Amino acid sequence: MIPHHLISGLQDGPPVVLSHSLATNLSMWDAILAPLEQQFRVIRYDARGHGASSATGNDYSLQDLVADVTDLLDHLAIERAHFVGLSMGGMVGMGLGIDHADRLLRLVVCDARADAPPTYRNAWDTRIAAVMAGGMAAIAGATVDRWFTDGFKSDALAVARMRMMVEATPLEGYVGCARALKDLDYKRRLGAISVPVLYLVGDQDLGAPPEEMRAMQRLTPGARFLKIAGAGHISVVEQPVEAGTAISDFLSDKH
Ligand SMILES: O=C(O)CC1=CCC(=O)O1
């Protein structure tokens, strides 16, 4: 499936694909677009069943989500691209790094874990049941509460914007992707990633705790690790300057 996508930035620059989290859409990247657009050809896409991308049923696998990216690269005739993914997008990035390294230049994994322990799988079952019964509104408040720090949550407008994004997510897309995440099992295969990787995480991330991502870095050959101060799970929204600079510096191999 070719996902809905937008292209901006330098027409002839190195391509970078941006992949958002569960229950958001490609506008999640808005705050860090400007620095990336100065150096790269930026390709943002909506994940399957999110934003303007079609939902084909409500039961996807991580391989489906990874294949959507290779289909997009094929469609755009791009052999290799940088890839930046956050949470679910970061999981897709690890899948690409493990199984399709020949399509990647550099990989940034933001705020994502690499495995699904039983508590995590149970949480997805609970959320899937809640949205099936009450729609996205049933989980929107708790989701935004879990994602952000108290500092961010004192900005009512910013919180309302994120909540609207969660509520606007098509039910099928949320359920389909949540089912895919239940099978997340990349941790034991991180050693196979052969492209340069940066793991970036908000220091107050509850969904992908910094110590978990530090462990992922140790398992990935040559990978780097960076903690963003004053950020929770959606670090690029909470601290766009720090996160955006770290990402563009890493992709342009500045350090
Ligand atoms: O919703 C959460 O708290 C954590 C999460 C897992 C995948 C994703 O994109 O967000």
Side-chain angles (χ1 to χ4, degrees):
M1 187 199 86
I2 316 283
H4 170 253
H5 55 282
L6 295 177
I7 302 180
S8 58
L10 285 188
Q11 185 89 3
D12 300 324
V16 54
V17 177
L18 305 181
S19 181
H20 62 76
S21 75
L22 180 68
T24 62
N25 58 56
L26 55 71
S27 72
M28 189 204 79
W29 299 104
D30 285 358
I32 68 156
L33 268 191
L36 293 176
E37 286 174 342
Q38 284 165 23
Q39 299 180 71
F40 303 101
R41 181 180 181 209
V42 182
I43 300 143
R44 290 169 283 158
Y45 76 94
D46 285 326
R48 187 181 283 236
H50 286 63
S53 284
S54 56
T56 47
N58 68 3
D59 193 2
Y60 319 146
S61 66
L62 271 164
Q63 287 93 321
D64 292 330
L65 304 182
V66 169
D68 291 343
V69 178
T70 54
D71 286 353
L72 176 61
L73 293 176
D74 290 345
H75 172 72
L76 298 173
I78 295 173
E79 197 182 328
R80 283 175 181 262
H82 295 302
F83 189 90
V84 182
L86 189 143
S87 197
M88 178 175 78
M91 298 164 193
V92 171
M94 288 182 271
L96 286 164
I98 291 166
D99 291 323
H100 301 276
D102 57 324
R103 306 306 301 268
L104 292 186
L105 295 166
R106 291 181 157 232
L107 169 63
V108 183
V109 176
C110 311
D111 306 291
R113 53 180 310 136
D115 63 350
T119 48
Y120 184 94
R121 284 203 297 277
N122 293 342
W124 288 121
D125 283 337
T126 306
R127 289 171 203 158
I128 290 167
V131 297
M132 296 282 230
M136 290 304 290
I139 59 147
T143 300
V144 172
D145 193 50
R146 189 170 66 241
W147 279 356
F148 293 104
T149 65
D150 288 343
F152 184 88
K153 284 185 274 190
S154 64
D155 181 345
L157 193 61
V159 171
R161 218 179 281 129
M162 290 308 298
R163 188 182 167 128
M164 279 167 56
M165 211 188 291
V166 173
E167 285 190 6
T169 303
L171 184 61
E172 273 194 309
Y174 181 86
V175 171
C177 288
R179 287 183 170 144
L181 302 193
K182 282 181 61 183
D183 293 329
L184 178 66
D185 188 20
Y186 288 140
K187 193 168 179 179
R188 64 195 169 81
R189 297 175 65 205
L190 293 176
I193 300 183
S194 56
V195 296
V197 180
L198 169 65
Y199 291 108
L200 183 148
V201 63
D203 65 347
Q204 295 167 59
D205 190 337
L206 301 175
E211 58 277 13
E212 184 59 37
M213 292 199 66
R214 173 68 90 177
M216 289 155 57
Q217 177 222 358
R218 293 201 184 99
L219 293 168
T220 310
R224 296 180 210 173
F225 173 82
L226 183 69
K227 229 183 326 188
I228 301 286
H233 190 54
I234 315 286
S235 55
V236 301
V237 168
E238 242 182 299
Q239 298 295 345
V241 175
E242 291 76 2
T245 304
I247 291 168
S248 60
D249 282 358
F250 176 73
L251 296 184
S252 53
D253 198 14
K254 282 199 192 137
H255 45 75

